[in-house]
Amino acid sequence: MYAQMVKSTGQGVKSLDDMEPQERAFQERIDAGDKIEPKDWMPDGYRKTLIRQIGQHGHSEIVGQLPEGNWITRAPTLERKAILLAKVQDEAGHGLYLYCAAETLGVSRDELTEDLLSGKMKYSSIFNYPTLTWADMGAVGWLVDGAAIMNQVPLQRTSYGPYARAMVRICKEESFHQRQGYDIMMKMARGTPAQKRMAQDALNRFWYPSLMMFGPSDKDSVHSAQSMAWKIKMNTNDELRQKFVDQTVPQAEYLGLTVPDETLQWNEGKGGYDFAEPDWSEFFDVIKGNGPCNRERLAARNKAWDDGKWVRDGLLAHAEKRASKKVAAE
Amino acid sequence: MSAPNSAYPDTPEAQPEKPKRHEWPLWEIFIRGQHGMSHRHVGSLHAADAEMAIKNARDVYTRRNEGVSIWAVQASHIAASSPSHKGPLYEPSESKVYRHPTFFDIPDEVGAM
C-alpha cells in the first residue's frame, strides 16, 4: 500500500499470558477498541513500527505529488489545470497530516525528511512509474487513489489516535481524487479513437503497478500478524487486493476498456474475480531503487530540500530576531 | 514535545552528544467552524512564527471551507495533564450521579422541566 512491507518486531505475536503486566494492559486496551494517545505508555516495537508505517505513508503522499505535478502545466483546459492543482495540493496536505502524526511518536520532521532523502525510508513503489500522457492523470486518480482508499478507509479505525484522525481527514478528501480521475478516464474513453487508445494504454501500464501497491501476500508474515494484533494494519494485503479488483473491473467495463489480464474471470464460488498476480520480481526491483523513476523522484525531492534551505533558515532567523526585539521592548 | 525515549535509536535525539536540530517550531491549530461552535483542535504544523502558522493553517486545514477563524498556539506553550493522573482527576466525578438531571424523578403531572 502507501506503506508497503513495513517491518515490525520480527518476532511472533505474544500471547497475553506471555506479556509483562504493562504490555498486557496495553494489548487489552487495544483489544477493547481503545485508542492509544501520544503520552500513553506503549511498547517500543509499537512505536517504532508506527513511525516506519506513518512515515512511509507520509513520504508516499509527498513523492506522489511528482508524477501528477508533471502534468499541471500541460493540462488540456484551465479547469482541468485548476482541479489537478487542487488535487496535488491535497496530497501535500495529506503528507503534512501524516508527518504530524508521526512526530507525536518522538521523531522530528527533519529526521523524517532526511531519511526519505537519503533513501533510508521508503515510499510506495507506484510513484516510481512515469506519467507519459494526460490519460495517466485519469489512471492515477482512478486506480492509484482507488487502491489507496481501500487501505485508508479501514485505517480510520486504527489503534493510534493521531493516525486514525489523520486518516479521517484524508479519506474525506480522497474520494474527490478518485472521482476526478475516473472523470478524466470517461472523457478519454468516449473521445476520439486516439484518446481511447491513450486511455487503454494508461490502464495497461498502471494495472499491475496498482496491484503491487498492496504488497506481496502477507498471510504468513510475522510482521503483518504483529501489526494486525496492534490494529495498525486492519486487513491482509490479499484481502485488500481482491476487494480492489472486484471493485475496479466493472468500472473498467463501464469505460469500455480491457483490463490487461487474459486470466481475469469471475469466480461465482468465492464471489470475486480470479486474476493474475503482478510480477513480484519487478516489485522488489522497484523497491530496491531500480524502477523507471526512482532516481528522478529522489533527485527532485533532494533538490527541493537543498534549494529551500536558505528560505527555511532565513525565515527562522527573521522570526528569532523579531522575538528577541519584542522581549527587549517589554 | 518529543517522547522521553527516542523511538528512533539512530537519531540525534538518542545521541545527546550531537547538537539538536534547528527546526521551525510546532504549532497546534484550532479552527472555528461555520456554525458558531467554539474553536476545535484540528491538527498541527510547523511555522517560523505566528503569522506564518496562521497562513499555513489556512492552506492545510481550511481548503474546503472548514472554518471562519483560526487560532495557532505554539505547542511548547500547552500544558497537558498526564495519562497517569486519569484516576485521581476523573474518578471522583463517577460517584456524583446527582450532578445529572436524570438523577431526579419529577412526576409527569409537573410537566416539562
Side-chain angles (χ1 to χ4, degrees):
Chain A
M1 192 51 325
Y2 272 22
Q4 292 156 324
M5 304 183 67
V6 175
K7 291 200 167 84
S8 67
T9 58
Q11 280 130 34
V13 182
K14 279 191 230 169
S15 73
L16 283 178
D17 291 335
D18 290 339
M19 292 177 186
E20 298 294 320
Q22 203 169 28
E23 186 175 0
R24 184 184 170 128
F26 173 85
Q27 187 62 49
E28 282 169 346
R29 281 184 65 196
I30 289 185
D31 295 343
D34 256 18
K35 295 285 182 226
I36 306 301
E37 294 296 339
K39 292 171 106 186
D40 293 345
W41 183 88
M42 58 187 85
D44 208 36
Y46 179 84
R47 187 186 293 279
K48 283 183 189 165
T49 309
L50 265 178
I51 289 177
R52 282 194 203 106
Q53 178 174 331
I54 303 175
Q56 214 184 96
H57 196 157
H59 293 327
S60 299
E61 303 282 357
I62 296 298
V63 178
Q65 295 177 93
L66 296 171
E68 293 182 293
N70 182 34
W71 280 92
I72 290 174
T73 56
R74 289 173 287 164
T77 66
L78 189 57
E79 187 185 51
R80 291 284 184 199
K81 180 174 177 163
I83 293 170
L84 187 59
L85 257 177
K87 197 218 170 214
V88 173
Q89 192 190 20
D90 273 355
E91 305 297 359
H94 296 179
L96 297 182
Y97 308 153
L98 286 159
Y99 283 156
C100 283
E103 284 174 81
T104 62
L105 292 158
V107 62
S108 80
R109 175 73 59 92
D110 283 2
E111 286 170 305
L112 288 168
T113 305
E114 285 165 13
D115 283 352
L116 167 68
L117 298 182
S118 72
K120 188 177 154 199
M121 283 182 91
K122 302 292 182 202
Y123 55 89
S124 175
S125 58
I126 189 75
F127 301 117
N128 291 313
Y129 290 86
T131 45
L132 304 176
T133 72
W134 174 252
D136 289 9
M137 294 302 94
V140 167
W142 171 37
L143 300 172
V144 175
D145 290 273
I149 291 171
M150 283 290 153
N151 183 53
Q152 292 175 158
V153 165
L155 279 176
Q156 293 178 102
R157 293 178 285 113
T158 185
S159 63
Y160 189 56
Y163 193 25
R165 292 191 285 273
M167 279 301 128
V168 170
R169 294 192 66 85
I170 288 174
C171 286
K172 273 189 198 157
E173 299 176 350
E174 225 33 280
S175 168
F176 146 61
H177 296 176
Q178 195 188 13
R179 292 172 74 137
Q180 68 88 32
Y182 198 70
D183 187 62
I184 292 174
M185 291 308 273
M186 286 197 295
K187 197 85 178 174
M188 302 292 285
R190 290 174 188 163
T192 64
Q195 285 174 319
K196 189 166 179 184
R197 275 199 302 278
M198 277 165 77
Q200 181 63 53
D201 172 59
L203 173 57
N204 291 349
R205 282 181 291 107
F206 276 94
W207 176 254
Y208 287 105
S210 298
L211 296 187
M212 290 179 202
M213 287 176 69
F214 299 94
S217 178
D218 61 351
K219 59 185 194 302
D220 305 317
S221 154
V222 286
H223 298 298
S224 188
Q226 179 60 73
S227 291
M228 287 176 88
W230 280 332
K231 292 193 189 163
I232 59 181
K233 183 178 171 77
M234 312 301 283
N235 308 84
T236 67
N237 295 346
D238 289 328
E239 278 167 12
L240 291 172
R241 189 171 13 252
Q242 181 70 53
K243 226 174 138 187
F244 174 74
V245 171
D246 293 346
Q247 177 191 284
T248 309
V249 170
Q251 294 168 351
E253 282 167 2
Y254 180 83
L255 293 172
L257 300 178
T258 310
V259 172
D261 176 358
E262 285 171 7
T263 68
L264 187 77
Q265 204 175 11
W266 178 256
N267 179 333
E268 193 63 48
K270 72 172 180 185
Y273 287 92
D274 291 331
F275 57 93
E277 291 275 314
D279 175 359
W280 290 113
S281 65
E282 176 183 319
F283 169 79
F284 288 112
D285 214 32
V286 174
I287 289 274
K288 247 185 262 154
N290 302 320
C293 299
N294 294 59
R295 283 174 199 83
E296 189 185 327
R297 300 291 185 240
L298 272 189
R301 290 312 308 152
N302 271 289
K303 183 175 188 307
W305 181 248
D306 294 343
D307 290 355
K309 185 176 185 332
W310 70 272
V311 180
R312 295 193 300 276
D313 291 350
L315 285 168
L316 192 60
H318 176 68
E320 282 170 351
K321 197 168 102 186
R322 279 215 312 202
S324 64
K325 269 193 189 150
K326 202 176 155 209
V327 171
E330 274 165 7
Chain B
M1 282 305 100
S2 55
N5 298 311
S6 176
Y8 231 50
D10 45 358
T11 58
E13 209 179 20
Q15 298 158 14
E17 70 274 11
K18 282 196 196 161
K20 183 94 181 105
R21 282 154 202 273
H22 209 41
E23 281 188 6
W24 287 352
L26 189 68
W27 300 75
E28 298 298 332
I29 305 302
F30 301 80
I31 306 253
R32 185 204 297 285
Q34 305 280 357
H35 306 292
M37 308 294 278
S38 47
H39 286 75
R40 203 175 136 245
H41 182 244
V42 292
S44 46
L45 50 79
H46 289 270
D49 58 23
E51 197 187 335
M52 188 200 271
I54 288 175
K55 279 187 187 150
N56 287 356
R58 171 202 169 265
D59 287 342
V60 180
Y61 293 109
T62 66
R63 286 196 304 283
R64 287 177 176 76
N65 240 344
E66 288 95 334
V68 293
S69 164
I70 297 171
W71 286 351
V73 184
Q74 210 168 315
S76 57
H77 292 168
I78 291 183
S81 64
S82 152
S84 62
H85 291 153
K86 207 169 143 192
L89 284 177
Y90 311 115
E91 262 162 28
S93 72
E94 280 173 19
S95 58
K96 299 179 178 57
V97 286
Y98 45 81
R99 284 192 161 139
H100 297 280
T102 47
F103 178 77
F104 306 95
D105 287 326
I106 303 290
D108 288 347
E109 301 92 284
V110 179
M113 184 180 285

